[in-house]
Amino acid sequence: MADLSAFPITKKWPARHPDRIQLYSLPTPNGVKISIALEELGLPYEPHRVAFDSNDQTSPEFLSLNPNNKIPAIIDPQGPGGKPLALFESGAILVYLAEKSGKLIPQDAAGRYHALQWVMFQMGGIGPMFGQLGFFHKFAGKDWEDKRPRDRYASEAKRLLGVLDKHLQGKQWVLGDAYSIADIAIFPWVRNLVGFYGAADLVGFAEFKQVQRVLDAFVQRPAVIRGLDIPPKPAG
């Protein structure tokens, strides 16, 4: 049985199954990337809920794993060389899990780099821009009379959707016929933009037929349905 006692985070979130990948997360767009990937890959894991309402993400135990105080983060007890590996940043974790399993990423070098470019597209563009738009459209931004910040992010979100929509023409998934970590990176954020953030009309989402088509296929996958609710809300 793996010994994870060297990781302070396990004091706050004890591992009942220390031989499994330990996932510290919450069902946000970045968080569900990893739960979906783990469900798709069938890798054994144990989820731990990092509750923002009690500031778990700023606790010393969590910061010992991710000094940037963001979810998700993992500990893999069977990392490279059979040694435990701790990782944060959802994009890095996606790549790691895909390469560990040999799935959800092309095995040829060119295909691998194409997958990585779309993961980076999400991390550098879609995530930050959609997130800022959500802030100004749904949350504190409503207190600003000046709508230029909101409109700036809405314009950039619309541009990014246009890039994705054009790319998806004639393709089943981002990389073509093969479902991959590129889809897992991108579509939780698209779902959040038009769902939780309620920004579909603001960005003209009805114009992006290809994005709609692939989003619809994505959210119907059984592993995605399961992963979107992990870690689950506490009972009661």
Side-chain angles (χ1 to χ4, degrees):
M1 181 174 292
D3 181 7
L4 301 181
S5 61
F7 296 94
I9 195 168
T10 61
K11 304 297 190 295
K12 186 175 179 67
W13 290 277
R16 292 177 298 168
H17 306 282
D19 290 330
R20 302 179 185 179
I21 292 171
Q22 303 295 304
L23 170 64
Y24 306 90
S25 191
L26 201 64
T28 68
N30 283 333
V32 301
K33 291 180 201 175
I34 309 308
S35 52
I36 289 170
L38 288 164
E39 290 289 329
E40 293 279 10
L41 293 167
L43 293 172
Y45 71 102
E46 180 179 353
H48 303 278
R49 187 178 181 87
V50 181
F52 289 175
D53 56 1
S54 56
N55 293 317
D56 280 350
Q57 74 277 18
T58 61
S59 66
E61 294 87 354
F62 188 78
L63 291 173
S64 72
L65 185 60
N66 183 359
N68 195 35
N69 68 276
K70 304 292 183 182
I71 60 96
I74 68 165
I75 301 172
D76 182 359
Q78 300 296 326
K83 298 179 180 179
L85 175 70
L87 276 181
F88 63 89
E89 283 295 332
S90 59
I93 298 170
L94 276 181
V95 174
Y96 170 71
L97 294 175
E99 294 189 339
K100 174 185 176 74
S101 63
K103 301 176 182 177
L104 296 179
I105 192 168
Q107 296 304 297
D108 64 290
R112 178 178 179 275
Y113 286 117
H114 283 143
L116 292 178
Q117 76 176 356
W118 286 102
V119 172
M120 301 302 174
F121 172 79
Q122 180 275 306
M123 293 170 62
I126 281 180
M129 294 302 105
F130 287 14
Q132 292 290 352
L133 176 55
F135 173 82
F136 281 103
H137 181 59
K138 184 178 177 68
F139 298 112
K142 63 180 180 293
D143 298 326
W144 269 268
E145 292 184 7
D146 185 350
K147 298 306 179 186
R148 285 177 295 178
R150 184 204 67 179
D151 292 345
R152 176 178 187 270
Y153 290 117
S155 176
E156 181 63 4
K158 186 170 184 177
R159 188 191 70 80
L160 291 165
L161 287 169
V163 172
L164 183 60
D165 198 73
K166 183 177 180 180
H167 173 74
L168 289 170
Q169 290 180 11
K171 297 181 179 68
Q172 183 177 2
W173 300 104
V174 171
L175 298 187
D177 293 336
Y179 176 76
S180 73
I181 56 172
D183 304 289
I184 296 173
I186 291 169
F187 284 98
W189 273 103
V190 177
R191 174 180 176 269
N192 211 62
L193 178 72
V194 301
F196 181 68
Y197 290 158
D201 290 342
L202 187 61
V203 299
F205 190 66
E207 302 173 22
F208 305 109
K209 303 300 184 184
Q210 303 304 318
V211 176
Q212 292 180 49
R213 170 182 59 81
V214 181
L215 175 62
D216 289 345
F218 178 76
V219 298
Q220 291 174 27
R221 294 179 67 90
V224 172
I225 293 170
R226 295 191 300 270
L228 286 171
D229 194 35
I230 295 173
K233 293 180 179 179

